[in-house]
PDB file of all heavy atoms in Angstrom:
ATOM      1  N   ARG A 118     -67.419 -83.462 -11.763  1.00  0.00           N
ATOM      2  CA  ARG A 118     -67.713 -84.661 -12.471  1.00  0.00           C
ATOM      3  C   ARG A 118     -69.205 -84.780 -12.680  1.00  0.00           C
ATOM      4  O   ARG A 118     -69.704 -85.200 -13.792  1.00  0.00           O
ATOM      5  CB  ARG A 118     -67.241 -85.883 -11.691  1.00  0.00           C
ATOM      6  CG  ARG A 118     -65.725 -85.970 -11.628  1.00  0.00           C
ATOM      7  CD  ARG A 118     -65.252 -87.341 -11.168  1.00  0.00           C
ATOM      8  NE  ARG A 118     -63.872 -87.378 -10.841  1.00  0.00           N
ATOM      9  CZ  ARG A 118     -63.208 -88.513 -10.520  1.00  0.00           C
ATOM     10  NH1 ARG A 118     -63.820 -89.678 -10.540  1.00  0.00           N
ATOM     11  NH2 ARG A 118     -61.906 -88.410 -10.202  1.00  0.00           N
ATOM     12  N   GLN A 119     -70.009 -84.413 -11.650  1.00  0.00           N
ATOM     13  CA  GLN A 119     -71.477 -84.512 -11.809  1.00  0.00           C
ATOM     14  C   GLN A 119     -71.999 -83.525 -12.902  1.00  0.00           C
ATOM     15  O   GLN A 119     -72.802 -83.855 -13.684  1.00  0.00           O
ATOM     16  CB  GLN A 119     -72.109 -84.168 -10.449  1.00  0.00           C
ATOM     17  CG  GLN A 119     -71.843 -85.281  -9.466  1.00  0.00           C
ATOM     18  CD  GLN A 119     -71.906 -84.850  -8.024  1.00  0.00           C
ATOM     19  OE1 GLN A 119     -72.360 -83.666  -7.728  1.00  0.00           O
ATOM     20  NE2 GLN A 119     -71.521 -85.706  -7.066  1.00  0.00           N
ATOM     21  N   LYS A 120     -71.385 -82.295 -12.914  1.00  0.00           N
ATOM     22  CA  LYS A 120     -71.801 -81.361 -13.905  1.00  0.00           C
ATOM     23  C   LYS A 120     -71.533 -81.887 -15.346  1.00  0.00           C
ATOM     24  O   LYS A 120     -72.348 -81.712 -16.250  1.00  0.00           O
ATOM     25  CB  LYS A 120     -71.079 -79.998 -13.748  1.00  0.00           C
ATOM     26  CG  LYS A 120     -71.621 -79.099 -12.619  1.00  0.00           C
ATOM     27  CD  LYS A 120     -70.746 -77.893 -12.498  1.00  0.00           C
ATOM     28  CE  LYS A 120     -71.192 -76.973 -11.356  1.00  0.00           C
ATOM     29  NZ  LYS A 120     -72.267 -75.990 -11.725  1.00  0.00           N
ATOM     30  N   ALA A 121     -70.404 -82.526 -15.491  1.00  0.00           N
ATOM     31  CA  ALA A 121     -69.979 -83.096 -16.820  1.00  0.00           C
ATOM     32  C   ALA A 121     -70.882 -84.183 -17.236  1.00  0.00           C
ATOM     33  O   ALA A 121     -71.389 -84.245 -18.370  1.00  0.00           O
ATOM     34  CB  ALA A 121     -68.508 -83.529 -16.758  1.00  0.00           C
ATOM     35  N   ILE A 122     -71.303 -85.046 -16.286  1.00  0.00           N
ATOM     36  CA  ILE A 122     -72.227 -86.110 -16.576  1.00  0.00           C
ATOM     37  C   ILE A 122     -73.593 -85.553 -17.047  1.00  0.00           C
ATOM     38  O   ILE A 122     -74.158 -85.947 -18.008  1.00  0.00           O
ATOM     39  CB  ILE A 122     -72.406 -87.087 -15.377  1.00  0.00           C
ATOM     40  CG1 ILE A 122     -71.146 -87.841 -15.065  1.00  0.00           C
ATOM     41  CG2 ILE A 122     -73.601 -88.014 -15.658  1.00  0.00           C
ATOM     42  CD1 ILE A 122     -71.111 -88.581 -13.735  1.00  0.00           C
ATOM     43  N   ILE A 123     -74.036 -84.499 -16.291  1.00  0.00           N
ATOM     44  CA  ILE A 123     -75.353 -83.999 -16.618  1.00  0.00           C
ATOM     45  C   ILE A 123     -75.292 -83.216 -17.942  1.00  0.00           C
ATOM     46  O   ILE A 123     -76.264 -83.392 -18.757  1.00  0.00           O
ATOM     47  CB  ILE A 123     -75.748 -83.041 -15.452  1.00  0.00           C
ATOM     48  CG1 ILE A 123     -76.081 -83.875 -14.227  1.00  0.00           C
ATOM     49  CG2 ILE A 123     -76.960 -82.184 -15.838  1.00  0.00           C
ATOM     50  CD1 ILE A 123     -76.278 -83.035 -12.984  1.00  0.00           C
ATOM     51  N   ALA A 124     -74.243 -82.559 -18.221  1.00  0.00           N
ATOM     52  CA  ALA A 124     -74.151 -81.791 -19.464  1.00  0.00           C
ATOM     53  C   ALA A 124     -74.165 -82.733 -20.714  1.00  0.00           C
ATOM     54  O   ALA A 124     -74.652 -82.402 -21.781  1.00  0.00           O
ATOM     55  CB  ALA A 124     -72.851 -80.939 -19.500  1.00  0.00           C
ATOM     56  N   GLY A 125     -73.644 -83.953 -20.483  1.00  0.00           N
ATOM     57  CA  GLY A 125     -73.619 -84.944 -21.605  1.00  0.00           C
ATOM     58  C   GLY A 125     -74.741 -85.843 -21.703  1.00  0.00           C
ATOM     59  O   GLY A 125     -74.827 -86.695 -22.581  1.00  0.00           O
ATOM     60  N   ALA A 126     -75.705 -85.737 -20.835  1.00  0.00           N
ATOM     61  CA  ALA A 126     -76.860 -86.676 -20.736  1.00  0.00           C
ATOM     62  C   ALA A 126     -77.887 -86.363 -21.858  1.00  0.00           C
ATOM     63  O   ALA A 126     -78.350 -85.251 -21.922  1.00  0.00           O
ATOM     64  CB  ALA A 126     -77.536 -86.651 -19.371  1.00  0.00           C
ATOM     65  N   ARG A 127     -78.204 -87.330 -22.667  1.00  0.00           N
ATOM     66  CA  ARG A 127     -79.246 -87.154 -23.688  1.00  0.00           C
ATOM     67  C   ARG A 127     -80.194 -88.303 -23.621  1.00  0.00           C
ATOM     68  O   ARG A 127     -79.795 -89.475 -23.557  1.00  0.00           O
ATOM     69  CB  ARG A 127     -78.616 -87.092 -25.117  1.00  0.00           C
ATOM     70  CG  ARG A 127     -77.732 -85.923 -25.377  1.00  0.00           C
ATOM     71  CD  ARG A 127     -78.528 -84.621 -25.370  1.00  0.00           C
ATOM     72  NE  ARG A 127     -77.706 -83.457 -25.715  1.00  0.00           N
ATOM     73  CZ  ARG A 127     -76.869 -82.859 -24.884  1.00  0.00           C
ATOM     74  NH1 ARG A 127     -76.757 -83.284 -23.667  1.00  0.00           N
ATOM     75  NH2 ARG A 127     -76.160 -81.806 -25.227  1.00  0.00           N
ATOM     76  N   PRO A 128     -81.556 -88.048 -23.658  1.00  0.00           N
ATOM     77  CA  PRO A 128     -82.155 -86.721 -23.791  1.00  0.00           C
ATOM     78  C   PRO A 128     -82.209 -85.977 -22.492  1.00  0.00           C
ATOM     79  O   PRO A 128     -82.583 -84.756 -22.517  1.00  0.00           O
ATOM     80  CB  PRO A 128     -83.529 -87.019 -24.317  1.00  0.00           C
ATOM     81  CG  PRO A 128     -83.890 -88.350 -23.834  1.00  0.00           C
ATOM     82  CD  PRO A 128     -82.583 -89.147 -23.746  1.00  0.00           C
ATOM     83  N   GLY A 129     -81.911 -86.595 -21.385  1.00  0.00           N
ATOM     84  CA  GLY A 129     -81.963 -85.888 -20.172  1.00  0.00           C
ATOM     85  C   GLY A 129     -81.606 -86.733 -18.953  1.00  0.00           C
ATOM     86  O   GLY A 129     -81.200 -87.888 -19.138  1.00  0.00           O
ATOM     87  N   ILE A 130     -81.793 -86.201 -17.801  1.00  0.00           N
ATOM     88  CA  ILE A 130     -81.363 -86.936 -16.560  1.00  0.00           C
ATOM     89  C   ILE A 130     -82.081 -86.472 -15.309  1.00  0.00           C
ATOM     90  O   ILE A 130     -82.395 -85.273 -15.238  1.00  0.00           O
ATOM     91  CB  ILE A 130     -79.823 -86.779 -16.431  1.00  0.00           C
ATOM     92  CG1 ILE A 130     -79.253 -87.858 -15.400  1.00  0.00           C
ATOM     93  CG2 ILE A 130     -79.429 -85.378 -15.996  1.00  0.00           C
ATOM     94  CD1 ILE A 130     -77.808 -88.098 -15.612  1.00  0.00           C
ATOM     95  N   VAL A 131     -82.343 -87.377 -14.391  1.00  0.00           N
ATOM     96  CA  VAL A 131     -82.836 -87.017 -13.083  1.00  0.00           C
ATOM     97  C   VAL A 131     -81.622 -87.165 -12.172  1.00  0.00           C
ATOM     98  O   VAL A 131     -81.030 -88.258 -12.120  1.00  0.00           O
ATOM     99  CB  VAL A 131     -83.940 -87.946 -12.575  1.00  0.00           C
ATOM    100  CG1 VAL A 131     -84.457 -87.487 -11.202  1.00  0.00           C
ATOM    101  CG2 VAL A 131     -85.128 -87.913 -13.644  1.00  0.00           C
ATOM    102  N   ALA A 132     -81.151 -86.106 -11.532  1.00  0.00           N
ATOM    103  CA  ALA A 132     -80.014 -86.202 -10.575  1.00  0.00           C
ATOM    104  C   ALA A 132     -80.492 -85.947  -9.171  1.00  0.00           C
ATOM    105  O   ALA A 132     -81.298 -85.005  -8.950  1.00  0.00           O
ATOM    106  CB  ALA A 132     -78.920 -85.179 -11.008  1.00  0.00           C
ATOM    107  N   GLU A 133     -80.060 -86.760  -8.268  1.00  0.00           N
ATOM    108  CA  GLU A 133     -80.504 -86.588  -6.891  1.00  0.00           C
ATOM    109  C   GLU A 133     -79.349 -86.501  -5.921  1.00  0.00           C
ATOM    110  O   GLU A 133     -78.323 -87.110  -6.158  1.00  0.00           O
ATOM    111  CB  GLU A 133     -81.467 -87.734  -6.422  1.00  0.00           C
ATOM    112  CG  GLU A 133     -80.782 -89.065  -6.510  1.00  0.00           C
ATOM    113  CD  GLU A 133     -80.902 -89.874  -5.302  1.00  0.00           C
ATOM    114  OE1 GLU A 133     -80.591 -89.382  -4.191  1.00  0.00           O
ATOM    115  OE2 GLU A 133     -81.207 -91.031  -5.343  1.00  0.00           O
ATOM    116  N   GLY A 134     -79.554 -85.730  -4.851  1.00  0.00           N
ATOM    117  CA  GLY A 134     -78.460 -85.633  -3.849  1.00  0.00           C
ATOM    118  C   GLY A 134     -78.857 -84.580  -2.782  1.00  0.00           C
ATOM    119  O   GLY A 134     -79.976 -84.573  -2.274  1.00  0.00           O
ATOM    120  N   ARG A 135     -77.878 -83.715  -2.440  1.00  0.00           N
ATOM    121  CA  ARG A 135     -78.060 -82.733  -1.365  1.00  0.00           C
ATOM    122  C   ARG A 135     -77.940 -81.317  -1.916  1.00  0.00           C
ATOM    123  O   ARG A 135     -78.441 -80.369  -1.350  1.00  0.00           O
ATOM    124  CB  ARG A 135     -77.058 -82.929  -0.229  1.00  0.00           C
ATOM    125  CG  ARG A 135     -77.000 -84.273   0.438  1.00  0.00           C
ATOM    126  CD  ARG A 135     -78.249 -84.510   1.262  1.00  0.00           C
ATOM    127  NE  ARG A 135     -78.135 -85.776   2.087  1.00  0.00           N
ATOM    128  CZ  ARG A 135     -78.159 -86.970   1.566  1.00  0.00           C
ATOM    129  NH1 ARG A 135     -78.356 -87.150   0.298  1.00  0.00           N
ATOM    130  NH2 ARG A 135     -78.073 -88.013   2.352  1.00  0.00           N
ATOM    131  N   ASP A 136     -77.149 -81.187  -3.009  1.00  0.00           N
ATOM    132  CA  ASP A 136     -76.828 -79.853  -3.535  1.00  0.00           C
ATOM    133  C   ASP A 136     -77.113 -79.756  -4.978  1.00  0.00           C
ATOM    134  O   ASP A 136     -76.461 -78.947  -5.665  1.00  0.00           O
ATOM    135  CB  ASP A 136     -75.371 -79.504  -3.222  1.00  0.00           C
ATOM    136  CG  ASP A 136     -74.481 -80.502  -3.860  1.00  0.00           C
ATOM    137  OD1 ASP A 136     -74.860 -81.598  -4.363  1.00  0.00           O
ATOM    138  OD2 ASP A 136     -73.170 -80.217  -3.903  1.00  0.00           O
ATOM    139  N   ILE A 137     -77.938 -80.601  -5.549  1.00  0.00           N
ATOM    140  CA  ILE A 137     -78.186 -80.587  -7.008  1.00  0.00           C
ATOM    141  C   ILE A 137     -78.980 -79.306  -7.440  1.00  0.00           C
ATOM    142  O   ILE A 137     -78.596 -78.685  -8.411  1.00  0.00           O
ATOM    143  CB  ILE A 137     -78.935 -81.838  -7.430  1.00  0.00           C
ATOM    144  CG1 ILE A 137     -78.332 -83.112  -6.833  1.00  0.00           C
ATOM    145  CG2 ILE A 137     -78.999 -81.966  -8.990  1.00  0.00           C
ATOM    146  CD1 ILE A 137     -76.885 -83.261  -7.140  1.00  0.00           C
ATOM    147  N   THR A 138     -79.979 -79.009  -6.643  1.00  0.00           N
ATOM    148  CA  THR A 138     -80.839 -77.810  -7.019  1.00  0.00           C
ATOM    149  C   THR A 138     -80.077 -76.495  -6.837  1.00  0.00           C
ATOM    150  O   THR A 138     -80.417 -75.507  -7.419  1.00  0.00           O
ATOM    151  CB  THR A 138     -82.142 -77.715  -6.142  1.00  0.00           C
ATOM    152  OG1 THR A 138     -81.765 -77.531  -4.767  1.00  0.00           O
ATOM    153  CG2 THR A 138     -82.963 -79.028  -6.262  1.00  0.00           C
ATOM    154  N   THR A 139     -79.005 -76.472  -6.016  1.00  0.00           N
ATOM    155  CA  THR A 139     -78.331 -75.281  -5.651  1.00  0.00           C
ATOM    156  C   THR A 139     -76.981 -75.132  -6.278  1.00  0.00           C
ATOM    157  O   THR A 139     -76.567 -74.031  -6.666  1.00  0.00           O
ATOM    158  CB  THR A 139     -78.191 -75.146  -4.143  1.00  0.00           C
ATOM    159  OG1 THR A 139     -77.591 -76.434  -3.686  1.00  0.00           O
ATOM    160  CG2 THR A 139     -79.504 -75.030  -3.456  1.00  0.00           C
ATOM    161  N   VAL A 140     -76.200 -76.220  -6.380  1.00  0.00           N
ATOM    162  CA  VAL A 140     -74.787 -76.091  -6.811  1.00  0.00           C
ATOM    163  C   VAL A 140     -74.546 -76.834  -8.135  1.00  0.00           C
ATOM    164  O   VAL A 140     -73.868 -76.313  -9.037  1.00  0.00           O
ATOM    165  CB  VAL A 140     -73.849 -76.623  -5.729  1.00  0.00           C
ATOM    166  CG1 VAL A 140     -72.402 -76.625  -6.151  1.00  0.00           C
ATOM    167  CG2 VAL A 140     -74.019 -75.872  -4.442  1.00  0.00           C
ATOM    168  N   VAL A 141     -75.003 -78.119  -8.193  1.00  0.00           N
ATOM    169  CA  VAL A 141     -74.619 -78.954  -9.309  1.00  0.00           C
ATOM    170  C   VAL A 141     -75.446 -78.565 -10.579  1.00  0.00           C
ATOM    171  O   VAL A 141     -74.874 -78.457 -11.680  1.00  0.00           O
ATOM    172  CB  VAL A 141     -74.867 -80.450  -9.017  1.00  0.00           C
ATOM    173  CG1 VAL A 141     -74.572 -81.301 -10.263  1.00  0.00           C
ATOM    174  CG2 VAL A 141     -73.955 -80.871  -7.829  1.00  0.00           C
ATOM    175  N   ALA A 142     -76.750 -78.310 -10.407  1.00  0.00           N
ATOM    176  CA  ALA A 142     -77.579 -78.004 -11.606  1.00  0.00           C
ATOM    177  C   ALA A 142     -78.608 -76.959 -11.232  1.00  0.00           C
ATOM    178  O   ALA A 142     -79.821 -77.222 -11.399  1.00  0.00           O
ATOM    179  CB  ALA A 142     -78.208 -79.267 -12.114  1.00  0.00           C
ATOM    180  N   PRO A 143     -78.229 -75.757 -10.850  1.00  0.00           N
ATOM    181  CA  PRO A 143     -79.181 -74.733 -10.476  1.00  0.00           C
ATOM    182  C   PRO A 143     -80.003 -74.291 -11.721  1.00  0.00           C
ATOM    183  O   PRO A 143     -81.014 -73.676 -11.554  1.00  0.00           O
ATOM    184  CB  PRO A 143     -78.341 -73.577  -9.966  1.00  0.00           C
ATOM    185  CG  PRO A 143     -76.924 -73.810 -10.399  1.00  0.00           C
ATOM    186  CD  PRO A 143     -76.795 -75.329 -10.614  1.00  0.00           C
ATOM    187  N   GLU A 144     -79.532 -74.646 -12.935  1.00  0.00           N
ATOM    188  CA  GLU A 144     -80.216 -74.240 -14.160  1.00  0.00           C
ATOM    189  C   GLU A 144     -81.237 -75.290 -14.573  1.00  0.00           C
ATOM    190  O   GLU A 144     -81.884 -75.170 -15.608  1.00  0.00           O
ATOM    191  CB  GLU A 144     -79.207 -74.044 -15.268  1.00  0.00           C
ATOM    192  CG  GLU A 144     -78.545 -75.298 -15.836  1.00  0.00           C
ATOM    193  CD  GLU A 144     -77.615 -76.083 -14.911  1.00  0.00           C
ATOM    194  OE1 GLU A 144     -77.214 -75.525 -13.861  1.00  0.00           O
ATOM    195  OE2 GLU A 144     -77.293 -77.240 -15.190  1.00  0.00           O
ATOM    196  N   ALA A 145     -81.425 -76.382 -13.749  1.00  0.00           N
ATOM    197  CA  ALA A 145     -82.363 -77.421 -14.116  1.00  0.00           C
ATOM    198  C   ALA A 145     -83.756 -76.941 -14.383  1.00  0.00           C
ATOM    199  O   ALA A 145     -84.209 -76.029 -13.663  1.00  0.00           O
ATOM    200  CB  ALA A 145     -82.356 -78.535 -13.053  1.00  0.00           C
ATOM    201  N   GLN A 146     -84.444 -77.553 -15.314  1.00  0.00           N
ATOM    202  CA  GLN A 146     -85.826 -77.087 -15.623  1.00  0.00           C
ATOM    203  C   GLN A 146     -86.726 -77.356 -14.429  1.00  0.00           C
ATOM    204  O   GLN A 146     -87.737 -76.625 -14.229  1.00  0.00           O
ATOM    205  CB  GLN A 146     -86.392 -77.868 -16.841  1.00  0.00           C
ATOM    206  CG  GLN A 146     -85.775 -77.475 -18.161  1.00  0.00           C
ATOM    207  CD  GLN A 146     -84.553 -78.284 -18.529  1.00  0.00           C
ATOM    208  OE1 GLN A 146     -83.866 -78.853 -17.634  1.00  0.00           O
ATOM    209  NE2 GLN A 146     -84.232 -78.392 -19.817  1.00  0.00           N
TER     210      GLN A 146
END
Side-chain angles (χ1 to χ4, degrees):
R118 293 194 191 189
Q119 291 156 10
K120 281 178 183 274
I122 293 170
I123 290 170
R127 292 294 181 284
I130 195 159
V131 182
E133 60 126 314
R135 305 286 188 290
D136 60 348
I137 313 304
T138 64
T139 51
V140 178
V141 177
E144 73 293 345
Q146 288 89 337

